[in-house]
Amino acid sequence: MKKWVVAALCASLAAAGGWALAKNTDTITLIVNGNKVETDVAPQIINGRVMVPVRAVSEAMGAEVAWDSEQKSVIVRRPEGPKPIARLPLDQTTLYALKEKDGQYAPLLVEHKGQFKLANWKNVTNPTYAPKIESRDLTGDGKHELIIILTTGYGTGALTQDIHVLQTDTFEERRVPDPVETVKQNVTSKVAKEQVEMSIGGKTTVIPANKIPAAPSTWFPSVGIGGIVTYETQENALLARVPAQISPAHFLGHFHITYQFVQDQFQVTSIEFVQD
């Protein structure tokens, strides 16, 4: 860890978090890595210099700030540097982690061709579940977007992913509808001792008990979803998979959800149940 001691800062700065002697009342916007930072005490202009609260700037860049009352010093600590956790070399794209805590990397920093975006995303630190970066034209505008797939949790019978689609020129994010909510809104199920029924848009799939390895006594009262969510791309479309769980150790199959970019947003174009 590197350490900087800023001994010249007076005690009133650390106590108040700002510059008490400033008289300039013009509004100054503080932007760190392209993101607006709100502060308790606004930046001020003093004797022709712009003065900003050290804590706000430091923490926005992933550093920790402490006040040493004995030395009357502000101490700023930060890691050796952002840690690269995924790369797409041909597209000049790197995803960095700024902090690591409790098995999670967060926040994350996207670099694309010398431009940066700081995002409040997270990914588990287990290298088996490292982020995935792809470059595809999913919007049909002739330009490739960045597709970043993150793993936010994993465990026995659990694996959850998150997806972010960014415009490369502006870093604007194109939101993808939540696949779990999509299943909840469009799928109905019925669990009985002799069979399980799954209905999507008037189409019903019936799975008899003798086709399900798990004993009926272990079945859930209703089909479970949400413990596993994964994403992938197929040509110019996005695909999400949400398994249908009938018991602690058995899945009936998967809901396949296809998204396409229509009328300036990603929309669900199909939901299909695929039996295991």
Side-chain angles (χ1 to χ4, degrees):
M1 304 286 283
K2 293 184 179 179
K3 180 178 179 181
W4 293 264
V5 178
V6 187
L9 294 178
C10 62
S12 62
L13 167 61
W19 300 90
L21 300 178
K23 295 182 179 180
N24 191 294
T25 58
D26 292 342
T27 299
I28 300 174
T29 301
L30 177 59
I31 298 176
V32 179
N33 288 332
N35 296 285
K36 184 177 179 181
V37 176
E38 301 293 343
T39 61
D40 293 336
V41 177
Q44 304 285 348
I45 297 178
I46 303 176
N47 297 328
R49 294 185 177 182
V50 179
M51 313 298 275
V52 299
V54 65
R55 181 179 295 277
V57 175
S58 300
E59 291 183 348
M61 298 182 71
E64 297 178 353
V65 182
W67 168 244
D68 188 328
S69 58
E70 293 184 1
Q71 298 185 41
K72 289 185 170 53
S73 302
V74 174
I75 301 175
V76 181
R77 298 184 181 93
R78 68 177 185 181
E80 292 296 332
K83 179 179 181 178
I85 56 176
R87 284 191 172 99
L88 190 61
L90 293 179
D91 207 51
Q92 301 179 46
T93 302
T94 303
L95 184 66
Y96 298 93
L98 298 186
K99 290 185 178 182
E100 178 180 346
K101 184 179 180 181
D102 299 331
Q104 296 276 357
Y105 291 127
L108 305 182
L109 181 68
V110 183
E111 179 187 10
H112 176 72
K113 296 183 178 179
Q115 301 297 314
F116 295 86
K117 175 183 175 64
L118 180 64
N120 191 29
W121 303 337
K122 64 180 182 179
N123 196 93
V124 298
T125 58
N126 188 331
T128 301
Y129 304 103
K132 301 175 183 177
I133 305 176
E134 296 185 30
S135 178
R136 292 177 181 268
D137 180 12
L138 296 180
T139 64
D141 62 356
K143 302 177 182 179
H144 280 205
E145 288 76 45
L146 289 177
I147 303 99
I148 301 175
I149 300 175
L150 307 172
T151 298
T152 57
Y154 67 95
T156 303
L159 177 63
T160 54
Q161 292 186 335
D162 196 8
I163 190 167
H164 302 277
V165 180
L166 303 178
Q167 298 292 117
T168 56
D169 51 351
T170 64
F171 280 144
E172 179 183 359
E173 184 168 356
R174 301 295 190 177
R175 298 293 180 181
V176 178
D178 186 336
V180 174
E181 289 301 317
T182 297
V183 171
K184 290 180 179 179
Q185 294 171 10
N186 294 275
V187 178
T188 59
S189 63
K190 182 179 179 181
V191 177
K193 289 184 178 181
E194 65 278 2
Q195 64 186 29
V196 176
E197 296 181 7
M198 214 86 63
S199 298
I200 307 174
K203 180 182 178 180
T204 300
T205 299
V206 178
I207 307 173
N210 61 6
K211 297 295 184 180
I212 302 174
S217 60
T218 67
W219 293 0
F220 297 143
S222 60
V223 174
I225 59 171
I228 298 178
V229 178
T230 60
Y231 294 91
E232 65 179 80
T233 58
Q234 289 186 350
E235 297 182 353
N236 293 328
L238 288 175
L239 176 67
R241 286 190 172 90
V242 179
Q245 191 169 10
I246 189 61
S247 75
H250 189 76
F251 295 90
L252 299 171
H254 297 73
F255 296 104
H256 289 199
I257 304 167
T258 303
Y259 304 92
Q260 288 188 328
F261 199 74
V262 181
Q263 297 180 348
D264 204 37
Q265 61 183 336
F266 282 103
Q267 298 181 13
V268 176
T269 54
S270 67
I271 307 174
E272 181 183 7
F273 176 71
V274 180
Q275 188 176 343
D276 284 347

